[in-house]
């Protein structure tokens, strides 16, 4: 199985900050990676697929990049509604594993 | 609007069975692959199972293989998850989602396995 390791697991940031979350795969997955945002008590929401393609309706401050084994999710200017937990998921092979999550909290 | 609504969760004893349903609306259900994902209390997301649009290919996580069965009824716009031999570690919120990229999610249904 492909393992995904996100870093950091937790980060504290302020409104307006630039935030970067990293997802590393245990083996190459080309660009078969998606990012999701989950707020407490809610279902996750797709932000980015194919490593860098923004899902319709997602603000342009979210950006995904990377290929192979290293990927990043960048929020260019953190907004109050962005405080949430973020997950990466690989779609290269089965089982479709998720990273452990990165919780973004208000500093 | 595009919507997925799960049902069928509840409290069940270890070793018991439960059948989850996911009702789809607002899109042509028979055109889409579908997935089940779960989240244990306070934990991260775990992919559970996946079925192609015509049910020709099905995949499971190792943790549920042999105990859970995914199926769909395209005429009824519904996705199902039959869960047998349930264990305490199956306690979670279960979500259905559309496509491999999980672009649409339901609100989830809670399964609690406890004696």
């Amino acid at each position: 199985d492909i393992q995904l390791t996100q870093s950091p697991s937790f980060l504290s940031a302020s409104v307006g900050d630039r935030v970067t979350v990293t997802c590393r795969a245990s083996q190459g997955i080309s660009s078969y990676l998606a990012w999701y945002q989950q707020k407490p008590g809610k279902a996750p929401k797709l932000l980015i697929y194919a490593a860098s393609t923004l899902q319709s309706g997602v603000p342009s401050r979210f950006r995904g990049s990377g290929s192979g084994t290293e990927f990043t999710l960048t929020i260019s200017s953190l907004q109050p509604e962005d405080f949430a937990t973020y997950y990466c998921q690989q779609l290269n092979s089965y089982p479709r594993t998720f990273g452990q999550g990165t919780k973004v909290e208000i500093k | 609007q595009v919507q997925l609504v799960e049902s069928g969760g509840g409290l069940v004893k270890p070793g018991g069975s439960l059948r989850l349903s996911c009702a789809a609306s607002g899109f042509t259900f028979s055109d889409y692959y579908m997935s089940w994902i779960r989240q244990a209390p306070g934990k991260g997301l775990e992919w559970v199972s996946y079925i192609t649009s015509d049910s020709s290919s099905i995949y499971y996580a190792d943790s549920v293989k042999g105990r859970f069965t995914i199926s769909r009824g395209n005429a009824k716009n519904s996705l199902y998850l039959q869960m047998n031999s349930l264990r305490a570690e199956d306690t979670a919120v279960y979500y259905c989602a559309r496509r491999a990229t999980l672009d649409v999610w339901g609100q989830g249904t809670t399964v609690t396995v406890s004696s």
Side-chain angles (χ1 to χ4, degrees), chain A residues 13-31:
Chain A
S14 301
V15 172
D17 283 354
R18 181 183 180 92
V19 166
T20 298
V21 179
T22 298
C23 178
R24 288 188 174 87
S26 59
Q27 62 191 78
I29 58 171
S30 185
S31 296

Side-chain angles (χ1 to χ4, degrees), chain B residues 24-70:
Chain B
S25 59
F27 65 99
T28 305
F29 179 73
S30 58
D31 286 349
Y32 290 86
Y33 296 5
M34 298 293 295
S35 302
W36 286 100
I37 301 95
R38 68 183 181 184
Q39 186 169 35
K43 301 296 185 183
L45 301 172
E46 181 186 13
W47 176 86
V48 173
S49 185
Y50 173 82
I51 185 168
T52 53
S53 55
D54 62 356
S55 305
S56 60
S57 293
I58 286 172
Y59 302 90
Y60 296 100
D62 288 345
S63 58
V64 307
K65 201 174 294 182
R67 300 187 300 121
F68 289 12
T69 302
I70 190 172

Side-chain angles (χ1 to χ4, degrees), chain B residues 63-84:
Chain B
S63 58
V64 307
K65 201 174 294 182
R67 300 187 300 121
F68 289 12
T69 302
I70 190 172
S71 63
R72 62 190 297 160
N74 285 344
K76 294 186 175 182
N77 293 328
S78 292
L79 176 72
Y80 306 103
L81 187 68
Q82 177 67 42
M83 305 187 296
N84 299 330

Side-chain angles (χ1 to χ4, degrees), chain A residues 36-48:
Chain A
Y36 303 88
Q37 176 194 65
Q38 187 179 34
K39 296 181 180 179
K42 299 294 187 182
K45 171 188 172 184
L46 175 65
L47 298 176
I48 288 166

Side-chain angles (χ1 to χ4, degrees), chain A residues 21-90:
Chain A
V21 179
T22 298
C23 178
R24 288 188 174 87
S26 59
Q27 62 191 78
I29 58 171
S30 185
S31 296
Y32 295 108
L33 189 100
W35 289 96
Y36 303 88
Q37 176 194 65
Q38 187 179 34
K39 296 181 180 179
K42 299 294 187 182
K45 171 188 172 184
L46 175 65
L47 298 176
I48 288 166
Y49 61 94
S52 61
T53 302
L54 203 64
Q55 172 70 352
S56 175
V58 174
S60 59
R61 63 180 179 272
F62 290 92
R63 180 175 173 268
S65 63
S67 67
T69 61
E70 187 153 337
F71 302 85
T72 58
L73 171 69
T74 301
I75 308 172
S76 59
S77 177
L78 201 63
Q79 297 302 300
E81 59 268 31
D82 300 338
F83 291 95
T85 300
Y86 294 84
Y87 295 93
C88 58
Q89 185 204 17
Q90 64 84 15

